[in-house]
Amino acid sequence: MGSLSIGHWLIVLLIVLTIFGSKKIGALGSDLGKGIKSFKNELKGNSDSEDNRT
């Protein structure tokens, strides 16, 4: 009952692909990447504006 083996992870992956489909998972990954990039840009923009104030 410890960690899951590679076989268990492959079965879970197969079930997820069957339920959601590869296109939807790809779109989800793309949206997640855009969100992270936007978040990083906002953090970088905020730190730049703070540096300009002092």
Side-chain angles (χ1 to χ4, degrees):
M1 290 300 256
S3 63
L4 296 174
S5 70
I6 195 79
H8 290 108
W9 285 114
L10 290 174
I11 292 171
V12 169
L13 180 63
L14 181 66
I15 291 169
V16 168
L17 282 173
T18 302
I19 292 172
F20 294 109
S22 61
K23 287 184 180 182
K24 197 168 194 174
I25 291 174
L28 179 65
S30 175
D31 291 343
L32 182 63
K34 288 177 185 177
I36 291 172
K37 185 175 182 179
S38 174
F39 180 73
K40 285 182 177 181
N41 287 337
E42 288 296 320
L43 286 178
K44 190 174 182 181
N46 288 340
S47 66
D48 288 343
S49 63
E50 289 175 5
D51 291 340
N52 291 337
R53 282 189 247 162
T54 54

